[in-house]
Amino acid sequence: MPKNPSRPSDPQVAMQATFDKLHTAQSTQALEQIRIETIGKKGILTEYFSTLKSLPEAEKKQLATSLNSLRKEFEEHFQAKLMELESKELESALSAQGIDVSLFNLSSKRGIGHPINYTKDKIIEYFTRMGYELCEGPLVEDDFHNFSALNLPEYHPARDMQDTFYFHDNKLLRTHTSPVQIRTMLDQKPPIKMICPGETFRRDYDLTHSPMFHQVEGLVVDKTGAVNFAHLKYVLESFLHYMFGDVKVRFRSSFFPFTEPSAEVDISCVFCQGNGCRVCSHTGWLEVLGCGMVDDNVFRAVGYEDVSGYAFGMGVERLCMLSLGIGDLRSFFETDLRLLEQF
Ligand code: PHE
């Protein structure tokens, strides 16, 4: 019998009130009190357990079984209620302190794209949306694809314009992305409408030149007469407005061995709006592109007949420097995060 004479002899009945209290407890403190009153030193269940030793064997066994299962049931309900009340209390403590755990953590750094890639992607996006196919080619080229097929025979003085990194055995690092145009024409039949972005290499290193740089070139070829200079002019003008906004665009006649007629394209200076400043050498203009109608000798080299086409090429670094106002090209390659993070 329990020491407390007012307690019912059946522990099941006695525990009913405990379970009721447990389920309606409002705080972990109240819960702890219930635990003490139930399985603490002087707790109800503890007292029932202490009566076991004075009982005859058969009754002892029966009561022990029922007490053990009551204790197990109590502990399970107690743990569940404890977890529920603890998380409620944590939540209200946090909201009282004003801590928002979903707040963005300013100390964590997010990766950012490199300005060169950003500019390259912007160029690619324009032309692919206009239906140009994206083509790529090898960085290590041979003399045929990089020079001869582009109307630059061995004795041609234009080869001096591009100081080249040569390997033995007639191989070289491509000096422009034009060899990709040759490869595409050799692989496919006209009509062709493609751009080729990628790394290019020349022996140059100063404020505005680096030995490795990026170009995007474009080529459109169709039957004779279907493609003309007016198309080229329209495409490049609208591209430059997309890149630089409301600038003036002018075509200046020029020379490239692979195009005839050829032109260089200038935009009104984005720094002084064409008034003249140090960046544009006080001319009011900035050169941004080379272009022209593909020379017949190039078509001959790839076995094309009765076609006409235009080609254009641009330096990604130059467009990037002009559109972001960066003065020294070398800062792109120094991987100084203080500079790169500004973009
Ligand atoms: N390949 C030229 C260069 O690297 C650029 C260019 C391409 C010019 C196509 C005209 C036409 O300078």
Side-chain angles (χ1 to χ4, degrees), residues 15-28:
M15 281 295 285
Q16 196 47 55
T18 304
F19 283 118
D20 289 348
K21 265 206 224 166
L22 188 67
H23 293 138
T24 53
Q26 295 296 325
S27 66
T28 51

PDB file of all heavy atoms in Angstrom, residues 15-28:
ATOM      1  N   MET A  15      -2.321   7.577 -11.171  1.00  0.00           N
ATOM      2  CA  MET A  15      -1.513   8.249 -12.213  1.00  0.00           C
ATOM      3  C   MET A  15      -2.351   9.051 -13.203  1.00  0.00           C
ATOM      4  O   MET A  15      -1.811   9.847 -13.973  1.00  0.00           O
ATOM      5  CB  MET A  15      -0.683   7.212 -12.968  1.00  0.00           C
ATOM      6  CG  MET A  15       0.566   6.761 -12.227  1.00  0.00           C
ATOM      7  SD  MET A  15       1.756   8.095 -12.030  1.00  0.00           S
ATOM      8  CE  MET A  15       2.392   8.182 -13.687  1.00  0.00           C
ATOM      9  N   GLN A  16      -3.660   8.795 -13.191  1.00  0.00           N
ATOM     10  CA  GLN A  16      -4.503   9.498 -14.170  1.00  0.00           C
ATOM     11  C   GLN A  16      -4.360  11.024 -14.029  1.00  0.00           C
ATOM     12  O   GLN A  16      -4.195  11.743 -15.007  1.00  0.00           O
ATOM     13  CB  GLN A  16      -5.975   9.064 -13.986  1.00  0.00           C
ATOM     14  CG  GLN A  16      -6.860   9.413 -15.170  1.00  0.00           C
ATOM     15  CD  GLN A  16      -6.199   9.011 -16.495  1.00  0.00           C
ATOM     16  OE1 GLN A  16      -5.830   7.853 -16.687  1.00  0.00           O
ATOM     17  NE2 GLN A  16      -6.029   9.985 -17.387  1.00  0.00           N
ATOM     18  N   ALA A  17      -4.370  11.484 -12.787  1.00  0.00           N
ATOM     19  CA  ALA A  17      -4.254  12.927 -12.528  1.00  0.00           C
ATOM     20  C   ALA A  17      -2.894  13.447 -13.015  1.00  0.00           C
ATOM     21  O   ALA A  17      -2.798  14.545 -13.569  1.00  0.00           O
ATOM     22  CB  ALA A  17      -4.433  13.194 -11.043  1.00  0.00           C
ATOM     23  N   THR A  18      -1.841  12.604 -12.822  1.00  0.00           N
ATOM     24  CA  THR A  18      -0.490  13.014 -13.260  1.00  0.00           C
ATOM     25  C   THR A  18      -0.453  13.213 -14.777  1.00  0.00           C
ATOM     26  O   THR A  18       0.067  14.208 -15.281  1.00  0.00           O
ATOM     27  CB  THR A  18       0.536  11.929 -12.859  1.00  0.00           C
ATOM     28  OG1 THR A  18       0.451  11.726 -11.458  1.00  0.00           O
ATOM     29  CG2 THR A  18       1.926  12.340 -13.248  1.00  0.00           C
ATOM     30  N   PHE A  19      -1.037  12.238 -15.495  1.00  0.00           N
ATOM     31  CA  PHE A  19      -1.050  12.364 -16.963  1.00  0.00           C
ATOM     32  C   PHE A  19      -1.836  13.598 -17.408  1.00  0.00           C
ATOM     33  O   PHE A  19      -1.419  14.298 -18.329  1.00  0.00           O
ATOM     34  CB  PHE A  19      -1.602  11.091 -17.611  1.00  0.00           C
ATOM     35  CG  PHE A  19      -0.596   9.969 -17.638  1.00  0.00           C
ATOM     36  CD1 PHE A  19      -0.829   8.776 -16.963  1.00  0.00           C
ATOM     37  CD2 PHE A  19       0.599  10.100 -18.336  1.00  0.00           C
ATOM     38  CE1 PHE A  19       0.097   7.751 -16.983  1.00  0.00           C
ATOM     39  CE2 PHE A  19       1.535   9.078 -18.362  1.00  0.00           C
ATOM     40  CZ  PHE A  19       1.285   7.905 -17.683  1.00  0.00           C
ATOM     41  N   ASP A  20      -2.959  13.865 -16.731  1.00  0.00           N
ATOM     42  CA  ASP A  20      -3.747  15.062 -17.074  1.00  0.00           C
ATOM     43  C   ASP A  20      -2.899  16.324 -16.916  1.00  0.00           C
ATOM     44  O   ASP A  20      -2.876  17.197 -17.777  1.00  0.00           O
ATOM     45  CB  ASP A  20      -4.993  15.161 -16.174  1.00  0.00           C
ATOM     46  CG  ASP A  20      -6.007  14.086 -16.546  1.00  0.00           C
ATOM     47  OD1 ASP A  20      -5.828  13.458 -17.624  1.00  0.00           O
ATOM     48  OD2 ASP A  20      -6.953  13.865 -15.753  1.00  0.00           O
ATOM     49  N   LYS A  21      -2.190  16.382 -15.783  1.00  0.00           N
ATOM     50  CA  LYS A  21      -1.343  17.562 -15.503  1.00  0.00           C
ATOM     51  C   LYS A  21      -0.252  17.704 -16.571  1.00  0.00           C
ATOM     52  O   LYS A  21       0.043  18.786 -17.053  1.00  0.00           O
ATOM     53  CB  LYS A  21      -0.667  17.379 -14.143  1.00  0.00           C
ATOM     54  CG  LYS A  21      -1.390  18.029 -12.979  1.00  0.00           C
ATOM     55  CD  LYS A  21      -0.335  18.306 -11.941  1.00  0.00           C
ATOM     56  CE  LYS A  21      -0.708  17.960 -10.542  1.00  0.00           C
ATOM     57  NZ  LYS A  21       0.369  17.925  -9.598  1.00  0.00           N
ATOM     58  N   LEU A  22       0.335  16.527 -16.912  1.00  0.00           N
ATOM     59  CA  LEU A  22       1.433  16.508 -17.895  1.00  0.00           C
ATOM     60  C   LEU A  22       0.963  17.104 -19.225  1.00  0.00           C
ATOM     61  O   LEU A  22       1.636  17.948 -19.823  1.00  0.00           O
ATOM     62  CB  LEU A  22       1.882  15.062 -18.091  1.00  0.00           C
ATOM     63  CG  LEU A  22       3.136  14.811 -18.915  1.00  0.00           C
ATOM     64  CD1 LEU A  22       4.344  15.350 -18.173  1.00  0.00           C
ATOM     65  CD2 LEU A  22       3.325  13.319 -19.134  1.00  0.00           C
ATOM     66  N   HIS A  23      -0.213  16.704 -19.671  1.00  0.00           N
ATOM     67  CA  HIS A  23      -0.680  17.157 -20.981  1.00  0.00           C
ATOM     68  C   HIS A  23      -1.054  18.619 -21.007  1.00  0.00           C
ATOM     69  O   HIS A  23      -0.993  19.250 -22.064  1.00  0.00           O
ATOM     70  CB  HIS A  23      -1.864  16.281 -21.445  1.00  0.00           C
ATOM     71  CG  HIS A  23      -1.440  14.876 -21.732  1.00  0.00           C
ATOM     72  ND1 HIS A  23      -2.167  13.777 -21.356  1.00  0.00           N
ATOM     73  CD2 HIS A  23      -0.323  14.380 -22.333  1.00  0.00           C
ATOM     74  CE1 HIS A  23      -1.541  12.680 -21.709  1.00  0.00           C
ATOM     75  NE2 HIS A  23      -0.402  13.025 -22.309  1.00  0.00           N
ATOM     76  N   THR A  24      -1.393  19.179 -19.863  1.00  0.00           N
ATOM     77  CA  THR A  24      -1.819  20.590 -19.872  1.00  0.00           C
ATOM     78  C   THR A  24      -0.722  21.522 -19.358  1.00  0.00           C
ATOM     79  O   THR A  24      -0.939  22.723 -19.231  1.00  0.00           O
ATOM     80  CB  THR A  24      -3.090  20.782 -19.028  1.00  0.00           C
ATOM     81  OG1 THR A  24      -2.846  20.230 -17.734  1.00  0.00           O
ATOM     82  CG2 THR A  24      -4.298  20.101 -19.646  1.00  0.00           C
ATOM     83  N   ALA A  25       0.472  20.957 -19.067  1.00  0.00           N
ATOM     84  CA  ALA A  25       1.559  21.804 -18.536  1.00  0.00           C
ATOM     85  C   ALA A  25       1.900  22.920 -19.519  1.00  0.00           C
ATOM     86  O   ALA A  25       1.897  22.718 -20.732  1.00  0.00           O
ATOM     87  CB  ALA A  25       2.780  20.947 -18.268  1.00  0.00           C
ATOM     88  N   GLN A  26       2.190  24.105 -18.981  1.00  0.00           N
ATOM     89  CA  GLN A  26       2.424  25.272 -19.839  1.00  0.00           C
ATOM     90  C   GLN A  26       3.897  25.662 -19.917  1.00  0.00           C
ATOM     91  O   GLN A  26       4.265  26.510 -20.721  1.00  0.00           O
ATOM     92  CB  GLN A  26       1.633  26.486 -19.295  1.00  0.00           C
ATOM     93  CG  GLN A  26       0.116  26.327 -19.357  1.00  0.00           C
ATOM     94  CD  GLN A  26      -0.385  26.225 -20.787  1.00  0.00           C
ATOM     95  OE1 GLN A  26       0.149  26.852 -21.680  1.00  0.00           O
ATOM     96  NE2 GLN A  26      -1.409  25.404 -20.996  1.00  0.00           N
ATOM     97  N   SER A  27       4.745  25.102 -19.043  1.00  0.00           N
ATOM     98  CA  SER A  27       6.155  25.503 -19.081  1.00  0.00           C
ATOM     99  C   SER A  27       7.044  24.318 -18.717  1.00  0.00           C
ATOM    100  O   SER A  27       6.578  23.347 -18.087  1.00  0.00           O
ATOM    101  CB  SER A  27       6.401  26.643 -18.087  1.00  0.00           C
ATOM    102  OG  SER A  27       6.218  26.156 -16.775  1.00  0.00           O
ATOM    103  N   THR A  28       8.307  24.424 -19.081  1.00  0.00           N
ATOM    104  CA  THR A  28       9.245  23.345 -18.748  1.00  0.00           C
ATOM    105  C   THR A  28       9.439  23.288 -17.230  1.00  0.00           C
ATOM    106  O   THR A  28       9.721  22.222 -16.679  1.00  0.00           O
ATOM    107  CB  THR A  28      10.613  23.568 -19.432  1.00  0.00           C
ATOM    108  OG1 THR A  28      11.056  24.898 -19.143  1.00  0.00           O
ATOM    109  CG2 THR A  28      10.528  23.388 -20.925  1.00  0.00           C
TER     110      THR A  28
END
